[in-house]
Amino acid sequence: MAIKIQSLRRLYEAAQRDGQPERFEADLQEALDKKQLRFTDFSVRQLFEHFVPNGREIVDSYNPRIAGGLGLQETASVVASSQFSKISGQLLYTTVMEAYQDEAFVFTPLVRNIPTQFSGERIPGISNLGDEALVVDEAQPYPRAGVSQTYIDTPATTKRGLIVEVTKEAVFFDRTGVLEERCRRVGQSLGLSKEKRIIDAVVDENVTDHRYNYRGNIIQTYGDNSGTHNWDNLAATNGLVDWTDVDAAEQLLAGILDPETGEPIILTPRHIVVTRQLLYTARRIVNASEITVTTPGYATSGNPTETRAGNPVQNYTIVSSQLLAARMATDTSWFLGDLQRAFAYMENWPLTVVQAPANSEAEFNLDVVMRFKASERGAAATLEPRAMVKSTA
């Protein structure tokens, strides 16, 4: 531990001597990104003592008995080194981000991330011209493709965040592991919140904020063709058993028409979304090398005929999460389509970590050495529900 701290200190001093302090920060961040360095490689106390001027004396001053008596004392400014703050901030940010991007959050990386400056945004549509609109008669002007009155409204965004504090006790008692765990919990909490909101948009069973808002009509994502829900993407009694159920969902998806032109929507389904209870069934269907098709035999014999063929269910990504069943009414429903085409996360800002200024009230009142605030703001949105089909058992 001491060797790593001393090596880090030497790298810092070398960069300072060369007049390139930014080189040290870049090297440190690169090492963290490549996981060559981790939070637990550094003791918070030793980091403080090596990068804060008179750091050892300041740590000792936290103990009034060692500091030379219990009488009136002047508190030391514990945020005396910007370099200590920068190194701690990079370590903390990396730890928070790793937990925020936990591989268990499978839906978050599969939907589009759309930056926006608005809390709720109206996205105008461009009407498809269809086949007939492309015909131009002799000596006639070409038709123009313009923005139509079609639009969808995205939901209002919400801000979520937590604060991580580094206290005198964390430095004095060297609670590096406790601080790392606290950072991970912050990142995991924010990542879990985002993942659950995206899942809620995909399954459309818990809340309605994410729903498809088409020309001022908030429409349920899945349903039969009725009322404002003028397309059918709900396949009842189509439990996931074998390739024929996937075929039934694909046929339903292929029959959905563009609301503006009446033409079929050109779409290649890429995702099969299943609960953990259906995971192995989905894997068996997708990964099978061949299938057996049974057809009626000759009329005179009545014996069925079996034909072996290559597996027609190909090029699908199976998406499953332990969180999924808890967000659904039943664990036997499943979904097929294109998650990136159907859903998005409207993001005002990504996960951001900022540090509180030095010499704050919290330093004196709460013995807080440093404070970091992690936050993100956004909302899951349904942009094209016709790109997904829901099947129930």
Side-chain angles (χ1 to χ4, degrees):
M1 177 72 73
I3 295 176
K4 290 185 178 180
I5 287 291
Q6 291 169 358
S7 298
L8 192 68
R9 177 68 189 186
R10 285 195 292 269
L11 288 173
Y12 169 69
E13 291 174 346
Q16 291 293 108
R17 285 195 302 270
D18 295 340
Q20 297 178 326
E22 68 281 354
R23 185 184 69 193
F24 171 76
E25 297 172 14
D27 290 344
L28 175 64
Q29 188 60 57
E30 182 181 1
L32 290 170
D33 292 341
K34 293 181 177 179
K35 302 187 185 303
Q36 296 171 341
L37 295 176
R38 306 189 68 86
F39 203 138
T40 50
D41 289 338
F42 301 95
S43 160
V44 172
R45 177 165 179 161
Q46 289 182 328
L47 193 66
F48 189 95
E49 291 176 347
H50 278 77
F51 284 92
V52 173
N54 302 316
R56 189 182 301 275
E57 289 76 12
I58 293 177
V59 173
D60 288 341
S61 74
Y62 293 163
N63 186 342
R65 296 185 183 277
I66 298 178
L70 302 178
L72 180 65
Q73 300 178 33
E74 181 180 353
T75 182
S77 177
V78 294
V79 194
S81 170
S82 61
Q83 197 57 47
F84 170 72
S85 299
K86 289 178 181 178
I87 296 174
S88 301
Q90 285 179 293
L91 289 167
L92 182 147
Y93 173 78
T94 302
T95 304
V96 172
M97 182 59 73
E98 284 181 356
Y100 182 73
Q101 297 174 335
D102 194 299
E103 61 183 11
F105 303 147
V106 296
F107 285 88
T108 297
L110 289 178
V111 303
R112 286 176 289 167
N113 201 78
I114 301 178
T116 177
Q117 297 181 348
F118 306 101
S119 178
E121 181 176 358
R122 176 160 293 182
I123 301 177
I126 299 178
S127 296
N128 292 327
L129 299 179
D131 181 61
E132 292 299 323
L134 299 179
V135 176
V136 181
D137 293 330
E138 184 178 357
Q140 295 300 313
Y142 283 83
R144 295 183 178 181
V147 177
S148 69
Q149 294 182 352
T150 300
Y151 62 87
I152 61 174
D153 290 323
T154 63
T157 59
T158 54
K159 177 175 65 177
R160 286 169 168 80
L162 291 165
I163 290 177
V164 178
E165 297 177 334
V166 181
T167 63
K168 284 185 179 181
E169 287 79 4
V171 176
F172 184 79
F173 295 111
D174 199 10
R175 294 173 177 168
T176 306
V178 174
L179 183 58
E180 181 195 28
E181 179 62 24
R182 191 176 302 163
C183 294
R184 291 194 180 280
R185 288 183 180 180
V186 167
Q188 188 173 47
S189 177
L190 293 172
L192 178 63
S193 171
K194 184 176 180 179
E195 178 81 353
K196 288 167 66 175
R197 283 178 285 142
I198 293 174
I199 289 176
D200 284 342
V202 173
V203 303
D204 192 29
E205 292 187 15
N206 292 306
V207 294
T208 61
D209 294 344
H210 58 266
R211 278 185 175 169
Y212 185 53
N213 190 335
Y214 180 69
R215 292 181 176 179
N217 295 313
I218 299 177
I219 306 173
Q220 200 167 0
T221 304
Y222 307 101
D224 298 321
N225 189 346
S226 62
T228 56
H229 196 286
N230 57 3
W231 71 95
D232 182 6
N233 65 344
L234 179 61
T237 63
N238 189 42
L240 188 62
V241 178
D242 57 29
W243 68 273
T244 61
D245 305 309
V246 177
D247 180 43
E250 286 183 351
Q251 292 192 42
L252 188 62
L253 188 66
I256 299 176
L257 304 179
D258 186 287
E260 303 299 323
T261 67
E263 298 282 352
I265 296 177
I266 306 301
L267 172 71
T268 300
R270 300 190 295 160
H271 304 108
I272 293 179
V273 180
V274 295
T275 61
R276 179 61 183 80
Q277 288 74 5
L278 292 176
L279 177 59
Y280 288 153
T281 300
R283 286 178 178 174
R284 171 176 54 80
I285 295 172
V286 172
N287 297 327
S289 58
E290 62 179 25
I291 62 170
T292 300
V293 181
T294 302
T295 56
Y298 294 104
T300 55
S301 65
N303 295 321
T305 300
E306 290 188 351
T307 303
R308 295 185 180 277
N311 186 9
V313 181
Q314 298 180 356
N315 301 321
Y316 274 104
T317 298
I318 299 172
V319 184
S320 184
S321 168
Q322 292 178 328
L323 300 172
L324 197 57
R327 317 301 295 175
M328 298 168 54
T330 173
D331 56 24
T332 56
S333 296
W334 58 284
F335 307 82
L336 178 145
D338 187 340
L339 291 172
Q340 289 190 337
R341 181 91 172 261
F343 308 103
Y345 192 78
M346 310 301 295
E347 182 182 78
N348 293 135
W349 63 78
L351 179 64
T352 304
V353 179
V354 297
Q355 183 179 350
N359 302 316
S360 65
E361 283 293 315
E363 180 180 342
F364 186 83
N365 293 334
L366 304 175
D367 282 342
V368 172
V369 176
M370 291 184 299
R371 306 178 81 191
F372 297 91
K373 178 174 63 180
S375 70
E376 67 88 20
R377 180 166 183 145
T382 303
L383 301 186
E384 182 47 275
R386 299 171 185 84
M388 294 292 295
V389 165
K390 176 180 180 179
S391 295
T392 61

